[in-house]
Amino acid sequence: AAAQKKSPAMLQNQKEPEKMKRCSKCVMPETWESINYDSNGICNICRNIQVKKEKIDWEAKLKEFEELLNQYRGKNQYDCIVPFSGGKDSVYTLYKLVKDFKLKPLVVSFDHGFFRPKTMANREKIFKKLGVDVLAFRPNWHIVKKLMLESLKRKGDFCWHCHTGIFAYPMQIAVKLKIPLIIWGEPSAEYGGYYAYGEEEEEVDEKRFNMFVNLGITAQDMLGMLDSSVTMKDLEPFKYPALKDLREIKYRSVCLGSFIPWDVQRQVDIIKTELGWEGDIVEGIPPEYDYEKVECRLQGVRDYLKFIKRGLGRTAHLVSIDVRNGRMNRDKALELAEKYDGNRPASLDYFLHRLDLSEEDFQKIALSHVVAPHQHDQSKIKPGEKLHDQELWDKTK
C-alpha cells in the first residue's frame, strides 16, 4: 500500500481535468457548436437574442414578408410548401400561414421512421382542422439502417438520414411540382451561431445545408462510404436539388421566424388552444417542457449521445432559452441541467435492438467523438425511466 501512494511531487504534477467554460449568462458550454464568448463571458447566442429583442424592426420585417407572399400568392396550384413534422414549430408555422396569412400550402412531410404515437395523432388532428393537402414520404428502412450506422460511426450522430431528408426532400418536391416558395419555422439564429439576427439574411438554401445540416457528408459522399448494394437511386431522397433547377423555378426558401419574433412558449399556448395540439413526456427533459422534441422515439438517445460527446443535454439548451427570455435565473438553470441531463435513456435498448448494435460498441463510438475539454465519466450515469408509450413502438427488425 505504501508503494502505491503518490508522492507530493507526483500529486502536484498530476493534471486535474480541465473544467468546461460556460456562458456567464446562460449555461451553454464551450463544446457547443459555433459558440464563442465575449470579454464578459457572454455567449454569441445570448448576444444574438439581445439583438433580436432590441434592434430588429419587426414591423418592417412583417411588411417585408407580406410583400414576399404577394409575389407568390395565387400564382400556382399551391402558394407555398410547408415542411412538416408535427412538432411545435412546424405546427405553428402551418397554423400561422393558413389562418393569418390565408395561404394555400402543400404540406410536405419527410417521415424519418421514428414518429411517436401522439405525434401521429397530432398530425391527423392538425391536417383535418386546418384543411390542407399533405404529401408524406418515408424512405426504405434497409437503407436508413445503414445510413444511421455509418453516420454514427463517422460523426457520432445517427441522424444523417433525418437531417438531410427533412431539408432536401421538400426542395425536391418544390422543383418537381414547380412550387417556388418554401416556408420553414424557426431560424437557426434562434439557437446557434452560424447565422445572426440583423446580419446576413438566413435563407434555407444549399449553403446552409452544407454548412451544418448534412454533417459535412453529401449523398454522393455517403454512396462511397456504404457497401455496393446501395446505389445513388437509394440515396436520391437525401440529395439536395441542383441549384440550376431551383433557380429555374425562381425559388425562395425562408424561415417564418426571420419575419416574426419567434417565441416558443407563446406559440405552444396558441396551438394547444386553437388546434388541440398535445405535448408529451421526453426522456432527459423536465416535464414542464412537454412541447420540446416530442416527435421522435430516439430523441432521448440523441440527447444522451450529445451528453457523452459534449457534456450537455437537451435540458441545458432549454433552460438557456428561458434564461435569455427572463423566465429563469442562471442558478435554477444549472440545477435543472445537472438533474436531468446525462441519464441513460431506456430507449437506448430499443435503439440498439433496431440497429443490431451492442451497448459496448455504442459507447466506444460515442467516446471517440468526445469534444475537449469535456471528459465523460460513465460511472456517474444513472438509468432513466421508460417512456409511457415505449411498449407501443414498432420493433420490426
Side-chain angles (χ1 to χ4, degrees), residues 165-200:
I166 284 172
F167 286 94
Y169 186 72
M171 304 305 291
Q172 293 179 13
I173 297 302
V175 171
K176 289 175 182 176
L177 300 184
K178 295 182 171 55
I179 306 171
L181 181 61
I182 305 93
I183 304 177
W184 308 77
E186 80 281 20
S188 69
E190 191 71 10
Y191 308 126
Y194 289 105
Y195 289 89
Y197 284 110
E199 295 183 6
E200 180 184 359

Side-chain angles (χ1 to χ4, degrees), residues 33 60 90 106 118 157 165 167 207 218 222-223 253 278 306 341 343 386:
E33 290 176 287
S90 61
L106 174 63
K118 188 171 283 188
D157 184 340
F167 286 94
K207 174 185 174 183
T218 66
M222 189 60 82
L223 180 66
S253 179
E278 296 181 56
K306 185 188 300 179
D341 282 344
N343 291 336
K386 185 178 287 189

Side-chain angles (χ1 to χ4, degrees), residues 284-322:
I285 297 178
E288 56 265 36
Y289 295 103
D290 71 338
Y291 52 80
E292 178 70 17
K293 295 296 181 184
V294 298
E295 307 99 295
C296 184
R297 303 171 205 160
L298 301 182
Q299 188 60 46
V301 181
R302 180 168 168 73
D303 291 334
Y304 178 55
L305 189 57
K306 185 188 300 179
F307 185 85
I308 294 173
K309 290 163 51 182
R310 300 179 183 274
L312 82 152
R314 179 66 47 179
T315 297
H317 164 76
L318 291 171
V319 295
S320 290
I321 294 171
D322 277 350

Side-chain angles (χ1 to χ4, degrees), residues 9-74:
M10 289 172 66
L11 289 170
Q12 187 175 2
N13 292 330
Q14 183 178 341
K15 284 188 176 181
E16 290 289 327
E18 187 177 350
K19 192 173 183 180
M20 281 198 304
K21 180 178 181 180
R22 290 182 182 267
C23 174
S24 60
K25 182 175 181 178
C26 72
V27 300
M28 294 299 284
E30 61 186 304
T31 52
W32 185 240
E33 290 176 287
S34 72
I35 201 168
N36 59 65
Y37 305 96
D38 65 16
S39 57
N40 295 315
I42 298 175
C43 75
N44 52 327
I45 306 169
C46 285
R47 296 196 306 270
N48 200 20
I49 298 304
Q50 203 67 28
V51 170
K52 168 191 168 183
K53 291 178 178 179
E54 298 176 357
K55 297 185 178 180
I56 303 298
D57 184 344
W58 289 108
E59 287 187 11
K61 282 289 183 184
L62 180 58
K63 184 179 179 182
E64 182 185 337
F65 188 56
E66 290 277 15
E67 291 171 353
L68 174 67
L69 296 183
N70 288 336
Q71 296 175 35
Y72 297 95
R73 186 186 277 111

